[in-house]
């Protein structure tokens, strides 16, 4: 299988230069010698210590591109002349020449200039291995490019090669979901790529800031595995992380502690205090308005005077009314702070015991976790109603537009439900306060397991001190496409209340998925064919059966049209990957020559602008301006030719691409080579994508049951839990 494991867009090799692999000295070392070398390396790294974070100004300079384009609410200014365009054109030309000279595709010039700026040509000429930081380039390609430019001088031990390989290995680990990597794994990776001295390369990467080192104490099963003795100091491990991920996890932990440490719950008013406050709020307003009216009347120009006859002068009555309105609008509004009694009453009015427990937890805490399946979403919906009824500014954010629509249907305030992307970009939501934070009191984030550490850090940075944050999601589903396991680490750290829903997902599909969640794959009764399991001898037969279900069986027997059914598979390649399934589906449902960049009007496609972000759409037409698409949420957009490469046919998706969405019908296809990609988490997520019907076509044999019972999830190395353990005790 050729899946990226976390939903990242497909990439193809950008450079086709055959490598010349050589065995490294480390490959001939004994296990004891390797262990001793790693221990010595860890000690040397600890002596170096973590490098200081960049100065504040430098950190700001490294802001994301979308943040650079907007400052103080204004867009980026247009260039004063055509000179920048000419400079860019010359930079692209020079870079393309250098790439061609080294045997690399000139098409990489755009990515190189985006990465290195106008000096990309000189950068690549002086350091050919810098090409390794470009999309789709692998070490063997970079080695071939370096030999094309440097000739025999391009040796495996070149320091520039080592400087490029360490961050590349860390980036590859990030694509697999790791926010940090043990130093031994990086050393082994360098050995595999023939680096003569991996220890020196890692130490150099730490010294020049390409990697940040951290030492952690091992606890629990990890400490037992490492052979720690109760009478000795606890065993430790040395981790390496990319600076951006290290800072994101530190910022995330700091933000969580900040919310919890600055939170002040409301208090019940003293007996009689409410009436006194109400009277005080009414009387002064009336007196002030009367005084303002008298003052305005006294200062009004006399009838017949020059001021009174001016066309720009408003009548006295209008002036009094405007003054009163301005007084009310300009007066600072005290934030709502409901006390325990008000929260208790709201909890008692909740529709279920789980909703009551969630409301009570939010009453007393700034940070609350909520876990449950699809049916459990009624509980955050009840919280939304309760908090709004108490006068709090409460908003809910979902991962996808489909999630927004389905959750909004559960609430009485659908306008308070938006996507997380719209919330952070300002396209919808409460807007920003004067200090730049979101103008809200309670934020409920649905699909929280899908947040990677960088996005989660952005969410925390956007919240003001003392804001209540509720993170809700299904802990059994796949983690984020990006690095980290934010939600799972928070659950494991136990730094805040966690409310586990008691609301089950009903029906045969819910029963099947619930069983998978606890490691059991048992048959379920499905009298209305809600669940159908079919076997196939190989991937080719699996594709045939899946197409039969999509185009005939499900529409005919269940009344679910083909456009409301999705095909799901572990990877893009292979005999029954998305490419094979989409080719077969197009030939059957919408045959055509692919007039517009491989697509025809009527094709189902998915737009993947970033890892973990997938937007289903349908091709309407195409012309010189690009492909005209209609998206599932009803919006339309033209994808320019330069961005058409991120589009894929969308009858079949990987399960990672389907995260955050559900379809009336789902067909899960498991080819014979699917075994290594399967985990309980994957099966749980895949089976849960169908709302009314689920078909499973599998040629994986016993691998499916083994994955459910023996492999809970693909492991990820992160630092967040350890950071929270160090910092949260004093704040919570």
């Amino acid at each position: 299988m050729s899946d990226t494991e976390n939903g990242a867009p497909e990439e193809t090799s950008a450079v086709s230069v055959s490598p010349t692999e050589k065995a490294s000295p480390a490959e001939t070392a004994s296990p004891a010698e390797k262990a001793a070398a790693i221990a010595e390396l860890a000690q040397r790294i600890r002596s170096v210590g973590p490098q200081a974070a960049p100065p504040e100004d430098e950190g700001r300079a490294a802001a994301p591109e979308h943040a650079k384009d907007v400052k103080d609410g204004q867009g980026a200014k247009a260039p004063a002349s055509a000179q920048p365009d000419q400079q860019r054109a010359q930079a692209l030309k020079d870079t393309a020449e250098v790439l061609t000279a080294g045997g690399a595709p000139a098409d990489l010039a755009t990515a190189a200039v985006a990465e290195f700026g106008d000096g990309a040509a000189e950068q690549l000429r002086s350091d050919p291995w810098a090409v390794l930081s470009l999309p789709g380039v692998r070490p063997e390609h970079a080695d071939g490019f370096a030999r094309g430019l440097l000739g025999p001088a391009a040796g495996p031990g070149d320091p520039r090669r080592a400087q490029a390989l360490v961050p590349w290995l860390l980036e590859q680990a990030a694509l697999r979901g790791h926010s940090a990597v043990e130093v031994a794994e990086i050393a082994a990776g360098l050995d595999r790529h023939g680096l003569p001295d991996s220890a020196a390369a890692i130490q150099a990467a730490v010294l020049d800031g390409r990697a940040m080192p951290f030492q952690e104490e091992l606890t629990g099963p990890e400490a037992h595995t490492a052979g720690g003795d109760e009478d000795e100091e606890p065993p430790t491990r040395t981790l390496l992380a990319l600076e951006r991920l290290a800072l994101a996890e530190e910022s995330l932990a700091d933000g969580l502690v900040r919310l919890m440490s600055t939170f002040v719950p409301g208090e019940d008013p003293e007996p009689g205090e409410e009436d006194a406050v109400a009277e005080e709020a009414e009387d002064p307003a009336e007196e002030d308005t009367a005084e303002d009216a008298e003052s305005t009347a006294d200062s009004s120009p006399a009838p017949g005077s020059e001021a009174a006859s001016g066309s720009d002068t408003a009548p006295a009555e209008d002036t009094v009314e405007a003054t009163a309105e301005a007084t009310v609008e300009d007066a600072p509004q005290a934030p709502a702070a409901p006390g325990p009694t008000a929260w208790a009453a709201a909890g008692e009015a909740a529709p279920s015991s789980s909703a009551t427990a969630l409301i009570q937890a939010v009453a007393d805490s700034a940070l609350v976790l909520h876990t449950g399946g699809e049916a459990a979403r009624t509980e955050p919906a009840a919280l939304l109603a309760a908090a709004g009824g108490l006068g709090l500014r409460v908003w809910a954010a979902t991962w996808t537009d489909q999630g927004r629509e389905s959750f909004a249907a559960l609430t009485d305030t659908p306008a308070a439900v938006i996507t997380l992307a719209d919330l952070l970009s300002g396209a919808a939501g409460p807007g920003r306060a004067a200090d730049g934070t979101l103008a809200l009191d309670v934020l409920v984030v649905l699909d929280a397991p899908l947040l990677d550490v960088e996005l989660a850090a952005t969410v925390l940075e956007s919240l003001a001190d003392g804001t209540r944050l509720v993170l809700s999601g299904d802990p059994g589903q796949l983690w984020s496409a990006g690095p980290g396991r934010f939600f799972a680490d928070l659950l494991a750290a136990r730094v805040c209340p966690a409310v586990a829903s008691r609301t089950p997902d009903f029906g045969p599909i819910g029963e099947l998925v619930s069983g998978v969640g606890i490691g059991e794959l048992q048959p379920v009764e499905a009298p209305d064919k809600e669940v159908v399991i079919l076997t196939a001898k190989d991937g080719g037969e699996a594709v045939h059966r899946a197409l039969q279900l999509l185009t005939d069986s499900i529409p005919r027997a269940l009344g679910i049209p083909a456009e409301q059914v999705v095909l799901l598979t572990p990877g893009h390649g292979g005999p029954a990957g998305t490419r094979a399934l989409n080719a077969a589906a197009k030939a059957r449902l919408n045959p055509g020559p692919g007039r517009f960049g491989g697509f025809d009007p009527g094709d189902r496609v998915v737009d993947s602008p970033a890892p973990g972000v997938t937007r289903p759409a349908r091709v309407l037409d195409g012309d010189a301006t690009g492909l005209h698409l209609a998206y599932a949420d009803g919006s339309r957009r033209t994808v320019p030719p330069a961005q058409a490469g991120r589009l894929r046919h969308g009858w079949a998706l990987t399960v990672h691409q389907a995260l955050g969405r559900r379809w009336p019908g789902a067909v899960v296809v498991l080819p014979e080579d699917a075994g290594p990609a399967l985990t309980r988490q994957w099966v749980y997520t895949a089976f849960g994508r169908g709302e009314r019907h689920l078909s499973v076509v599998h040629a994986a044999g016993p691998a499916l049951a083994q994955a459910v019972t023996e492999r809970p999830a693909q492991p990820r190395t992160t630092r967040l839990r350890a950071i929270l353990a160090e910092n949260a005790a004093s704040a919570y």
Side-chain angles (χ1 to χ4, degrees):
M1 307 300 291
S2 61
D3 194 10
T4 55
E5 297 185 7
N6 64 346
E10 298 177 67
E11 286 186 353
T12 56
S13 296
V15 185
S16 56
V17 183
S18 59
T20 302
E21 295 187 6
K22 298 180 180 180
S24 69
E27 292 177 347
T28 61
S30 67
E33 290 173 334
K34 289 185 178 181
I38 293 299
E40 180 183 356
L41 173 60
Q43 181 60 39
R44 288 160 63 183
I45 290 177
R46 286 196 289 270
S47 67
V48 174
Q51 300 302 296
E56 185 176 358
D57 291 340
E58 291 183 16
R60 290 174 180 169
E65 290 300 324
H66 68 271
K68 295 179 183 178
D69 294 338
V70 180
K71 184 178 181 181
D72 298 332
Q74 298 180 358
K77 296 182 179 180
S81 66
Q83 186 176 1
D85 292 338
Q86 295 174 355
Q87 290 177 350
R88 178 175 172 80
Q90 186 62 44
L92 289 171
K93 178 182 177 182
D94 295 343
T95 304
E97 291 176 354
V98 174
L99 290 167
T100 302
D107 293 345
L108 283 174
T110 301
V113 172
E115 177 72 18
F116 306 119
D118 291 344
E122 184 58 34
Q123 172 75 13
L124 292 174
R125 190 178 289 109
S126 61
D127 181 5
W129 283 280
V131 76
L132 195 55
S133 63
L134 303 183
V137 181
R138 297 184 56 80
E140 56 267 28
H141 306 143
D143 289 341
F145 178 65
R147 286 194 297 272
L149 291 182
L150 304 178
D158 193 300
R160 293 168 293 184
R161 184 172 185 264
Q163 290 176 349
L165 278 173
V166 173
W168 182 82
L169 288 170
L170 291 172
E171 289 285 2
Q172 294 303 301
L175 288 176
R176 297 191 299 273
H178 303 283
S179 60
V181 185
E182 291 199 44
V183 65
E185 293 184 29
I186 297 298
L190 294 174
D191 290 341
R192 286 194 301 270
H193 290 288
L195 205 68
D197 190 348
S198 58
I202 293 175
Q203 189 172 22
V206 170
L207 287 171
D208 66 17
R210 292 173 183 259
M212 298 184 70
F214 300 92
Q215 186 177 5
E216 289 184 355
E217 289 187 0
L218 296 178
T219 59
E222 292 178 331
H224 180 74
T225 302
D229 194 319
E230 295 181 358
D231 297 331
E232 299 177 355
E233 293 185 2
T236 62
R237 64 177 180 177
T238 301
L239 302 175
L240 295 177
L242 294 167
E243 181 184 64
R244 63 182 176 85
L245 298 182
L247 296 181
E249 285 192 302
E250 295 279 359
S251 173
L252 180 52
D254 290 345
L256 293 169
V257 172
R258 173 178 60 83
L259 287 189
M260 293 186 286
S261 62
T262 57
F263 173 70
V264 179
E267 297 181 357
D268 288 334
E270 296 294 332
E273 185 177 337
E274 279 190 42
D275 296 336
V277 171
E279 292 176 3
E280 185 178 347
E282 292 175 4
D283 295 345
E286 294 177 359
E287 293 175 3
D288 292 345
T289 302
E291 291 177 2
D292 290 342
E294 293 176 5
S295 174
T296 304
D298 291 343
S299 59
S300 299
S305 67
E306 183 178 352
S309 62
S311 60
D312 294 337
T313 304
E317 293 83 353
D318 293 344
T319 305
V320 172
E321 183 178 351
T323 303
E325 290 179 358
T327 302
V328 173
E329 292 177 359
D330 294 343
Q333 300 293 322
T341 301
W343 278 106
E348 291 174 2
S352 68
S353 60
S354 293
T356 298
L358 178 61
I359 292 170
Q360 291 174 344
V362 173
D364 300 327
S365 305
L367 178 64
V368 175
L369 307 182
H370 171 258
T371 62
E374 192 67 24
R377 287 181 174 240
T378 56
E379 295 150 24
L383 169 64
L384 203 69
L390 294 174
L392 296 171
R393 301 169 299 171
V394 57
W395 290 79
T398 64
W399 187 251
T400 63
D401 53 333
Q402 186 195 65
R404 177 196 65 214
E405 293 172 2
S406 62
F407 186 71
L410 301 174
T411 74
D412 295 329
T413 55
V417 183
I418 56 178
T419 65
L420 186 61
D422 285 346
L423 173 70
L424 296 177
S425 68
R432 300 273 177 169
D435 60 358
T437 58
L438 292 170
L440 48 72
D441 303 310
V442 183
L443 175 61
V444 182
V445 178
L446 285 301
D447 308 306
L450 302 184
L451 273 67
D452 61 40
V453 292
E454 291 180 288
L455 182 58
T458 300
V459 172
L460 266 295
E461 290 170 359
S462 68
L463 299 180
D465 291 353
T467 301
R468 287 178 167 94
L469 174 62
V470 181
L471 299 168
S472 177
D474 191 337
Q477 75 170 12
L478 287 167
W479 294 323
S480 60
R485 49 177 193 180
F486 165 59
F487 192 69
D489 279 343
L490 271 182
L491 284 171
R494 299 173 181 257
V495 296
C496 65
V499 178
S501 173
R502 297 177 182 174
T503 305
D505 287 332
F506 297 101
I509 296 177
E511 182 182 348
L512 177 65
V513 171
S514 297
V516 171
I518 59 174
E520 297 178 358
L521 185 61
Q522 300 291 341
V524 296
E525 293 185 6
D528 297 321
K529 298 187 182 299
E530 296 92 341
V531 177
V532 174
I533 309 293
L534 302 173
T535 58
K537 64 181 180 180
D538 55 29
E541 184 178 350
V543 171
H544 173 75
R545 286 180 174 267
L547 262 292
Q548 189 176 33
L549 288 164
L550 172 69
T551 61
D552 178 52
S553 300
I554 294 176
R556 175 172 46 82
L558 302 175
I560 303 175
E563 56 266 22
Q564 295 181 10
V565 180
V566 66
L567 306 178
L568 299 173
T569 187
H572 295 295
T578 60
R579 298 188 192 100
L581 286 166
N582 277 319
K586 177 170 172 57
R588 183 78 63 88
L589 293 171
N590 196 46
R595 290 184 297 147
F596 306 107
F599 301 97
D600 293 296
D603 280 357
R604 277 171 65 172
V605 298
V606 287
D607 183 4
S608 300
V613 179
T614 302
R615 301 187 64 200
R618 184 172 296 277
V619 177
L620 298 175
D621 204 347
D623 52 34
T625 63
L627 279 172
H628 307 301
L629 305 182
Y631 289 89
D633 62 357
S635 62
R636 296 190 176 189
R637 178 172 176 266
T638 297
V639 178
Q643 299 178 12
R646 73 189 193 194
L647 297 178
R648 296 289 184 272
H649 281 111
W651 288 281
L653 307 175
T654 67
V655 174
H656 293 88
Q657 289 177 314
L659 288 172
R661 297 184 182 276
R662 302 179 81 211
W663 287 260
V667 179
V668 178
V669 184
L670 302 174
E672 66 272 25
D673 60 348
L678 299 182
T679 63
R680 181 189 307 161
Q681 196 182 53
W682 189 96
V683 176
Y684 182 95
T685 306
F687 287 8
R689 296 310 93 195
E691 294 176 332
R692 294 167 49 195
H693 174 77
L694 168 69
S695 283
V696 180
V697 181
H698 83 92
L704 176 60
Q706 290 173 356
V708 171
T709 58
E710 301 173 9
R711 294 196 297 275
Q714 295 284 3
R716 290 188 176 189
T717 303
T718 66
R719 296 180 49 246
L720 179 60
R721 183 178 176 184
I723 299 172
L724 289 171
E726 295 174 2
N727 298 345
S730 61
Y732 187 77

